[in-house]
Amino acid sequence: MKAWLIEQGFDVPFLDFDKHAGIPPGANWEQTLYREIERSQALLIIQTANWSASRWCFAEFTQARALGKPIFQVIETADADPGDKIARDLQVLDLRRNREAGLQQLSEQLTALALSAQGGMAWDKSRPPYPGLLTFEQEDAPVYFGRDEGIRHLIERLTARRTLGLTRLLVLLGASGSGKSSLLRAGVLPRLRRAGRGWLVVPPFRPQNQPCQELAQVLALASDRPTQWRDLHQSLLLADQNGSLPALLSEIGSDLRMAAGSNDAQILLPIDQAEELFSSQDHQEVRRFYRILSAAMAGDLPFLAVMTLRSDFLGRLQAASADGLSARFEEVRRLTLAHYRALGDSRAHLSPLENAVSVRADAVLEALQPSQDQRRALREAFVPAMVRLEQGDYVRRPAAWDALPRPAWPLLEQLVNARLLITRQQEEQRLVEVAHEALLRKWPLLRGWLDEDREFLIGSQQLELDLQDWQRAPEAQRDAALLTGLKLQRAKAWLAERPRQLSPELRAFVQASAARADALQRRSRRQRRLLIGGLSSLCSVALVSGGIAWWREGQARAGDYSSRAELLLESDPINSMIYALAAIDHVSPSEAFETGQTLAAATGRNRQVASIPTGQGAVLTLLALRNGEVVSGGQDGSLRRWRNRQPVGEAIPTGQGRVRSLLQLRNGDLISGGEDGTLRRWRDGQAIGAAIRTGQTSIWSLLELSNGEWISGGADGSLRRWRDGQPIGQAIPTGQGGIRALVEVNSNDVVSAGEDGSLRRWHDGRPTGTPMITGQGKVNCLIRLVNGELISGGSDGSLRRWREGRAVGGPMPSGQGSLHSVIELDNGELVSGGSDGTLRRWRNGREAGPAVATGQHQVLSLVD
């Protein structure tokens, strides 16, 4: 039989005991058999008594049947019963009576199978062989090459669902632009139409905005009644309302079979670009379509559906069962390990649970369509009342329902109904908390809010600890436990900007601290009047020096404080001033601190230029252009150009949410990266083309390489390569958390800085070497120095130097809180910007002077 098959021109068949092409000695024979069954296009059974007695032969048959392979049962020897059919639907060839005629019939059937698998259709030469960006259609099937393996696998899986009664929805997943539609339209459907009367293929359709209407139109076409689609559409809508969908669909199926002249045909409903179901604004229409499709695939109806779907929408489809799409797991009431793993999102590194939480949360907000005020209230409800930080991770904590912003209550109720939040009654108070911490860590919207408010979250937790210390302090020491200095300044700013996010107890604590500070300032007015007169003509150091001389001459009893002031005169003039003030008024240095801060600020204003208001909210990114201008990207989603401290033109709205990153290309164009995961290109203040969707959650970093490619780094921990606005390959998962910064080293090699505290090197989209663990918490900023070294700045407030993938020396603590920005000046010095609102200069790895207060809340971005 093997020799005969080769003579007929078929590929060399696999025969397990063949000494040349069979199973070699020592191989795993069972795995080999299953692999060969998977690779084959048909299984040929030579039925003998030995075959019937072998459980392994029968296992091969069941495996091929489960894969949807064509199976031919051949009877060649006298010991086989010709009437003993292995399965009712198998083709049986009895070669004992007329061998030549039987072999001829087998050859014809195998040839037809091979031709069908390879296309075997005539080409209309008037059609272009390369449709460009358009999808290959059925008419292009004769010139559709290169996907034979995918076509065969898809047809086999459809066949298995028809013969074995498996789940009747088959989903073809792939990235955008990977060719799913062409594979279905020009590869699979034309071959099924030529496969005989076993298949009745309805014309493929896209859901678009009216999926029920689109379905009615193709059903009318398939039944040769195209003008009656409106009547069919109305019938489907009415049947959905009165619960008679099964009866109507049964009638439709019978009519289609009659029109095709085949009472046993399986009716295939091909749905192309099913992700359109999730972009429709008519949610009722989509739910109605789900119900119709689910009813068609239920019971004994003859329908089976195949749909193409972008991979990133799989979780949305799996969550659609709540909206009426019940024909998946519910039909067999069994969840396999493969099904469970499919519920996750490997590209985003989400487990099934994490992905389900993220998808469900997005679905709740999408259904409600909350206003901007409601979204802001929901953000304030979570931060900080329902979240706290432990060892760098976001963890849940219960909050009093009545203490949360009232506009957020309807949204919170729906999240409770979706079982993403849970509530309980404690005495007379209703408490609410997150059901699972995956919501905090893996829901992109909430995770973005938490990352943006991380500094406030940390500060508010410290504020709560300070409140507890104040409440526990003895009455005589309570004033000493109040907030002072930088802590008080930050708390007062939060009280003004975020009053709803502070509890009544915290607000009272901050107000009491502010009142105490005001009292101390009134107490120090005498000292101010004595000293302010000298400030107009003297710098702060000279003022302190003169003051010290006067104090030493007139106040011998304050000699200790005066001595300390003199010792600190050159190294720490601010503390020198504080001790001098203490010597004047015979108070403790801590009581003199407020006056010292006031004097330092006053002298600083005499030396510094006033800040420039942008009207953009927080300035999240700055870029120095080659023409000398500066561009700022704002929290309000706008861009602004500046020259010589003056705005150039009006603010430019980007429509991207917060502008997270900016890049100037070599041709002068500007690229902005938004919180909505898009890129936009700008020239002379005008947008070029539409926003480019990256598939990333938020664009935190941008880089142009020497070869002209762009790299975008996302909050989801992915990198994406671009050329001329078009993606190169797929998104690259880094495993680093959000990508805060990107630099180019050597030629076209990239180093990415991640939230997980690591640096990672990449070449052509692939990692090289092992990750560099910085030990700095989050790496917020990264630059390449003129000498080729790298400098990283971390959330622990330190800088680190790197050369050829290794740390140079130890961490350099800055004392500036979390470092968000660092630049190299032309003179080789570094300047770092911290979350405490200060700047610090560095030379040769050492501090080059004291920190400089900017009067800004946080220094997020620097340009030279």
Side-chain angles (χ1 to χ4, degrees):
M1 183 60 72
K2 177 183 178 183
W4 175 82
L5 288 169
I6 295 174
E7 288 176 2
Q8 301 301 310
F10 297 106
D11 287 344
V12 178
F14 175 78
L15 184 62
D16 57 357
F17 56 80
D18 185 275
K19 64 180 180 180
H20 298 293
I23 301 175
N28 186 319
W29 62 268
E30 185 177 1
Q31 290 183 2
T32 304
L33 284 175
Y34 287 140
R35 183 180 66 248
E36 293 298 330
I37 292 172
E38 170 69 22
R39 292 172 54 188
S40 69
Q41 289 180 276
L43 177 68
L44 193 61
I45 295 175
I46 312 297
Q47 188 179 4
T48 65
N50 287 337
W51 191 97
S52 300
S54 171
R55 63 186 180 94
W56 286 112
C57 287
F58 189 78
E60 294 170 23
F61 157 71
T62 57
Q63 174 71 4
R65 190 170 176 82
L67 293 174
K69 305 286 183 180
I71 301 174
F72 299 90
Q73 181 183 357
V74 177
I75 298 177
E76 174 121 54
T77 60
D79 61 353
D81 181 1
D84 186 14
K85 293 186 65 172
I86 301 172
R88 290 182 300 173
D89 59 336
L90 287 189
Q91 304 178 57
V92 180
L93 290 173
D94 191 346
L95 301 183
R96 297 178 300 175
R97 298 175 183 175
N98 190 337
R99 181 177 178 80
E100 291 303 321
L103 289 177
Q104 178 64 28
Q105 184 182 3
L106 178 61
S107 177
E108 292 173 355
Q109 291 179 326
L110 292 175
T111 300
L113 176 66
L115 289 176
S116 176
Q118 297 169 6
M121 288 162 272
W123 174 38
D124 179 1
K125 296 184 179 180
S126 66
R127 293 184 64 81
Y130 303 105
L133 296 178
L134 301 178
T135 298
F136 282 91
E137 299 291 347
Q138 175 174 336
E139 295 80 4
D140 303 306
V143 292
Y144 182 68
F145 298 110
R147 291 291 182 93
D148 293 345
E149 191 74 8
I151 293 170
R152 179 172 63 82
H153 277 294
L154 195 55
I155 290 176
E156 288 172 355
R157 279 154 179 75
L158 288 169
T159 302
R161 276 158 175 75
R162 182 187 67 180
T163 57
L164 301 180
L166 302 177
T167 303
R168 299 186 191 179
L169 175 62
L170 184 66
V171 183
L172 175 60
L173 294 171
S176 177
S178 61
K180 304 179 296 298
S181 297
S182 295
L183 178 64
L184 180 68
R185 291 173 177 263
V188 173
L189 300 185
R191 287 161 175 79
L192 286 179
R193 289 192 176 100
R194 293 168 56 92
R197 300 169 67 183
W199 287 99
L200 196 166
V201 181
V202 171
F205 69 97
R206 290 172 48 186
Q208 302 190 77
N209 291 324
Q210 296 292 327
C212 297
Q213 179 175 299
E214 299 293 331
L215 175 61
Q217 289 176 351
V218 296
L219 289 175
L221 279 174
S223 61
D224 292 328
R225 294 182 294 178
T227 60
Q228 299 181 21
W229 70 267
R230 292 180 179 85
D231 294 337
L232 181 56
H233 181 223
Q234 289 300 318
S235 298
L236 287 171
L237 299 186
L238 182 61
D240 176 56
Q241 292 175 2
N242 60 29
S244 61
L245 273 176
L248 175 62
L249 290 168
S250 178
E251 293 178 6
I252 294 174
S254 298
D255 290 346
L256 289 172
R257 284 175 161 180
M258 288 291 291
S262 176
N263 290 331
D264 296 323
Q266 181 76 52
I267 302 172
L268 181 64
L269 303 175
I271 308 167
D272 192 16
Q273 300 186 35
E275 59 271 10
E276 292 178 344
L277 292 167
F278 306 107
S279 60
S280 173
Q281 299 300 313
D282 192 343
H283 301 294
Q284 292 297 330
E285 170 74 2
V286 172
R287 293 189 182 99
R288 187 181 300 117
F289 176 76
Y290 287 159
R291 292 193 293 269
I292 295 172
L293 184 62
S294 181
M297 295 185 295
D300 297 327
L301 296 179
F303 295 96
L304 191 153
V306 58
M307 64 170 56
T308 66
L309 183 73
R310 275 174 39 192
S311 301
D312 47 331
F313 282 86
L314 176 60
R316 303 277 293 275
L317 177 67
Q318 291 166 331
S321 60
D323 291 329
L325 187 61
S326 59
R328 291 183 76 78
F329 305 131
E330 298 174 12
E331 186 173 307
V332 294
R333 299 187 181 278
R334 183 177 68 251
L335 180 67
T336 66
L337 180 59
H339 288 147
Y340 174 74
R341 288 174 174 166
L343 294 173
D345 186 344
S346 58
R347 292 179 58 198
H349 305 288
L350 297 180
S351 69
L353 171 64
E354 294 166 345
N355 192 46
V357 167
S358 176
V359 168
R360 188 64 179 142
D362 282 335
V364 169
L365 288 196
E366 184 176 351
L368 294 173
Q369 295 292 311
S371 65
Q372 285 296 109
D373 288 341
Q374 287 178 312
R375 292 172 72 93
R376 188 180 302 110
L378 182 63
R379 178 174 182 164
E380 293 174 352
F382 276 106
V383 185
M386 298 170 64
V387 189
R388 56 191 172 88
L389 272 168
E390 284 188 3
Q391 299 179 345
D393 287 331
Y394 299 117
V395 297
R396 61 188 171 186
R397 67 172 177 177
W401 182 276
D402 291 340
L404 302 179
R406 185 176 292 272
W409 287 5
L411 302 181
L412 294 173
E413 287 286 9
Q414 291 304 314
L415 292 173
V416 171
N417 293 338
R419 294 183 291 181
L420 297 172
L421 301 179
I422 55 177
T423 60
R424 66 178 187 273
Q425 202 70 23
Q426 183 173 313
E427 297 178 352
E428 297 181 357
Q429 192 175 46
R430 186 187 185 193
L431 299 181
V432 60
E433 64 180 328
V434 171
H436 197 283
E437 286 169 356
L439 187 71
L440 306 177
R441 302 170 187 174
K442 301 300 181 180
W443 183 19
L445 177 66
L446 180 53
R447 179 61 189 257
W449 290 345
L450 294 176
D451 287 344
E452 291 170 8
D453 288 345
R454 189 180 182 91
E455 297 300 327
F456 170 65
L457 198 57
I458 295 172
S460 62
Q461 286 183 212
Q462 181 60 53
L463 194 60
E464 290 174 352
L465 295 176
D466 293 335
L467 170 62
Q468 294 173 11
D469 290 341
W470 179 65
Q471 291 172 334
R472 289 194 294 261
E475 188 64 33
Q477 300 177 10
R478 296 194 75 183
D479 282 353
L482 289 168
L483 299 173
T484 59
L486 180 60
K487 281 187 177 182
L488 178 56
Q489 293 176 18
R490 293 172 65 183
K492 288 167 66 177
W494 291 335
L495 185 62
E497 298 168 4
R498 303 170 178 257
R500 294 195 302 184
Q501 292 174 270
L502 298 177
S503 67
E505 294 82 5
L506 286 176
R507 292 199 294 268
F509 177 49
V510 175
Q511 290 165 351
S513 299
R516 168 66 174 166
D518 290 343
L520 289 176
Q521 288 178 353
R522 289 193 296 270
R523 183 178 178 182
S524 302
R525 283 177 181 173
R526 183 172 65 89
Q527 289 86 347
R528 291 192 184 119
R529 285 195 299 269
L530 292 173
L531 296 177
I532 290 296
L535 289 174
S536 59
S537 58
L538 298 176
C539 71
S540 60
V541 174
L543 169 66
V544 174
S545 176
I548 288 175
W550 181 69
W551 289 323
R552 291 182 61 193
E553 291 174 1
Q555 301 290 337
R557 56 186 174 179
D560 182 43
Y561 290 159
S562 296
S563 299
R564 294 188 189 184
E566 189 172 15
L567 288 173
L568 295 172
L569 178 60
E570 297 295 332
S571 61
D572 193 347
I574 299 300
N575 275 321
S576 173
M577 182 187 299
I578 292 171
Y579 279 111
L581 290 171
I584 271 191
D585 205 28
H586 313 297
V587 298
S588 68
S590 63
E591 291 178 302
F593 179 81
E594 291 291 337
T595 302
Q597 289 287 89
T598 301
L599 293 174
T603 56
R605 290 194 192 97
N606 290 333
R607 297 195 309 266
Q608 297 174 3
V609 179
S611 61
I612 306 171
T614 68
Q616 296 177 283
V619 178
L620 302 177
T621 179
L622 284 174
L623 178 67
L625 303 182
R626 289 189 286 275
N627 64 1
E629 292 181 357
V630 172
V631 175
S632 58
Q635 184 181 20
D636 66 345
S638 71
L639 300 178
R640 294 216 74 164
R641 297 163 57 201
W642 306 86
R643 181 183 290 276
N644 298 328
R645 297 173 38 81
Q646 297 298 319
V648 179
E650 300 296 326
I652 306 169
T654 66
Q656 297 176 279
R658 292 175 171 88
V659 180
R660 286 294 193 176
S661 50
L662 291 170
L663 169 69
Q664 186 176 28
L665 303 179
R666 289 179 178 82
N667 67 359
D669 287 354
L670 186 68
I671 304 294
S672 60
E675 187 179 36
D676 64 350
T678 64
L679 301 175
R680 294 215 73 165
R681 194 164 183 163
W682 307 86
R683 185 179 298 152
D684 298 327
Q686 299 294 322
I688 302 175
I692 304 170
R693 300 200 173 277
T694 66
Q696 298 168 294
T697 53
S698 179
I699 309 301
W700 283 357
S701 50
L702 288 169
L703 174 70
E704 183 181 24
L705 301 182
S706 303
N707 63 5
E709 288 183 10
W710 322 337
I711 306 289
S712 59
D716 58 356
S718 70
L719 300 178
R720 197 102 211 235
R721 301 167 63 196
W722 305 86
R723 184 177 293 279
D724 297 327
Q726 298 298 319
I728 302 175
Q730 304 297 318
I732 306 164
T734 66
Q736 295 180 276
I739 304 302
R740 298 278 184 172
L742 295 166
V743 297
E744 183 178 21
V745 294
N746 296 335
S747 177
N748 303 326
D749 277 14
V750 177
V751 174
S752 58
E755 276 191 306
D756 67 345
S758 72
L759 304 178
R760 191 123 203 215
R761 189 162 179 164
W762 306 84
H763 182 76
D764 287 336
R766 297 181 178 179
T768 61
T770 57
M772 296 170 271
I773 308 303
T774 67
Q776 296 177 279
K778 295 181 180 180
V779 181
N780 293 326
C781 49
L782 180 70
I783 62 169
R784 184 174 184 265
L785 304 182
V786 174
N787 64 7
E789 291 183 353
L790 300 181
I791 296 289
S792 60
S795 61
D796 66 345
S798 72
L799 295 173
R800 292 209 78 166
R801 297 168 57 202
W802 305 86
R803 185 185 300 131
E804 297 179 354
R806 297 186 178 182
V808 179
M812 298 177 282
S814 69
Q816 297 176 272
S818 179
L819 292 185
H820 289 284
S821 48
V822 62
I823 59 171
E824 183 179 23
L825 303 180
D826 292 338
N827 63 4
E829 289 186 354
L830 302 179
V831 176
S832 58
S835 62
D836 63 350
T838 66
L839 301 176
R840 191 176 281 276
R841 295 164 52 216
W842 305 82
R843 186 184 298 116
N844 298 326
R846 296 183 178 180
E847 299 172 11
V852 179
T854 66
Q856 298 166 299
H857 184 52
Q858 299 185 67
V859 182
L860 299 179
S861 189
L862 291 170
V863 293
D864 183 11

